[in-house]
Amino acid sequence: MTHIAVLGSTNMDLVAYVAKAPQRGETVTGREFRTIPGGKGANQAVAAAHAGSDVSMIGAVGADAFGSQLRTTLEHSGVDTDHLRTTEGPSGTAHIVVDDEGGNAIVVVPGANATVDHLAPGDEVLIAGADALLLQLEIPLAAVLAGAEAARRHSVRTILTPSPVQSLPPELLASIDLLVPNEHEAAALTGVTDPREAATALLDQVPEVVVTLGAAGSLYAARGAEPLTVPAPRVTAVDSTGAGDTFVGTLAVALAEGRPMRAALAWASTAASLSVQRVGASSSMPYRSEIDAQAASNTRHTS
């Protein structure tokens, strides 16, 4: 079985569902409120575990009720939490508004995630034994860099989701094997709005790029190869929260299993398409059996 290590954030998602998101200065009435375990790191960990990999989470939660719940949720999803620290103070939270079109707006308050600014004893050993290391940008950049450099020292594949998008230092990019921005993040990183052109520009900094395109699927680019576009299954979305993390976590498992890139992207897109048909982030992520069944159905309908 593959082993995926995740270095990143854990948050409690505080989700309000509304017909239309409020504008600045506007108050609207929501129809429902939920607390759902999330955070980009934890989301990717759960997605990879559901997709059939052994997964270990490196990060931190607070010494509060949310922290206990976040740890328990990860463990129940099959994620090892031996390297998930507990710190004084609150856990991270994400305040999310989801509208009737499935769109969302998010405010993240880091909490305990802000304390993850270095690798703790044993973290590098864990990373060294993994098939891949998943990274995001909801913890301090110093820890992201330390994790990426540790993975590079041990020839472990690094996959970075550049979200929340920010300027990426050259020393971090030098340790990244695969960069997975969405089309807006790709544009922000390059100043180029066309996803194909943005992906090509990013190849000056990293060897492989996957730009996620929402309902349009994904675009893969690698040095010395023609770009590859893989469409996504057509579904009706009810909540897109966590779809990108579902895609990345599932993609990491597919690549660790040795699947060709086209097949890996199609499998990850199938997982993401299932997640957007359900509410929440970690709570929406499909299991391997569901992904395989839907992928088989997609093949029958397109053949």
Side-chain angles (χ1 to χ4, degrees):
M1 182 178 285
T2 60
H3 180 208
I4 306 296
V6 182
L7 171 58
S9 60
T10 56
N11 293 323
M12 184 60 74
D13 292 347
L14 310 176
V15 189
Y17 296 90
V18 298
K20 187 171 182 291
Q23 301 298 310
R24 182 175 182 179
E26 181 184 12
T27 299
V28 300
T29 299
R31 67 172 180 276
E32 187 178 0
F33 172 78
R34 296 189 182 191
T35 57
I36 304 171
K40 296 194 73 63
N43 287 346
Q44 291 183 6
V46 170
H50 283 192
S53 182
D54 283 338
V55 181
S56 299
M57 180 76 201
I58 304 170
V61 294
D64 57 6
F66 284 164
S68 298
Q69 189 175 350
L70 290 166
R71 185 182 295 276
T72 298
T73 297
L74 285 167
E75 291 170 349
H76 284 176
S77 295
V79 177
D80 177 80
T81 62
D82 286 350
H83 293 254
L84 184 65
R85 315 165 202 170
T86 298
T87 67
E88 292 301 319
S91 298
T93 52
H95 306 256
I96 305 173
V97 175
V98 179
D99 63 32
D100 277 353
E101 295 181 357
N104 61 60
I106 306 173
V107 176
V108 175
V109 181
N113 297 304
T115 70
V116 186
D117 56 4
H118 62 282
L119 294 183
D123 288 349
E124 182 162 347
V125 174
L126 174 66
I127 291 168
D131 295 296
L133 173 66
L134 299 186
L135 300 161
Q136 323 78 34
L137 301 177
E138 287 185 341
I139 60 173
L141 203 56
V144 178
L145 176 59
E149 290 179 339
R152 179 52 51 95
R153 283 192 291 274
H154 299 283
S155 301
V156 174
R157 184 175 200 158
T158 52
I159 302 175
L160 172 63
T161 304
S163 177
V165 68
Q166 58 184 275
S167 178
L168 301 176
E171 58 268 31
L172 173 59
L173 290 166
S175 294
I176 297 303
D177 296 305
L178 174 61
L179 188 68
V180 190
N182 63 29
E183 55 191 314
H184 307 294
E185 292 156 356
L189 290 171
T190 63
V192 179
T193 56
D194 180 80
R196 183 177 290 248
E197 294 179 6
T200 300
L202 288 168
L203 292 179
D204 291 338
Q205 301 170 301
V206 294
E208 293 182 288
V209 177
V210 171
V211 180
T212 58
L213 307 172
S218 58
L219 169 70
Y220 170 72
R223 293 170 181 168
E226 282 295 310
L228 169 69
T229 300
V230 175
R234 302 181 71 173
V235 300
T236 300
V238 298
D239 184 358
S240 61
T241 307
D245 297 327
T246 302
F247 179 93
V248 173
T250 309
L251 177 65
V253 175
L255 294 175
E257 292 176 351
R259 302 191 193 203
M261 184 58 74
R262 182 184 289 275
L265 291 171
W267 201 58
S269 288
T270 297
S273 74
L274 289 168
S275 77
V276 301
Q277 297 177 72
R278 309 167 181 174
V279 298
S282 61
S283 58
S284 72
M285 293 173 174
Y287 286 87
R288 187 183 185 98
S289 59
E290 298 175 284
I291 304 169
D292 286 342
Q294 187 60 52
S297 176
N298 294 343
T299 300
R300 287 195 301 272
H301 290 146
T302 57
S303 61

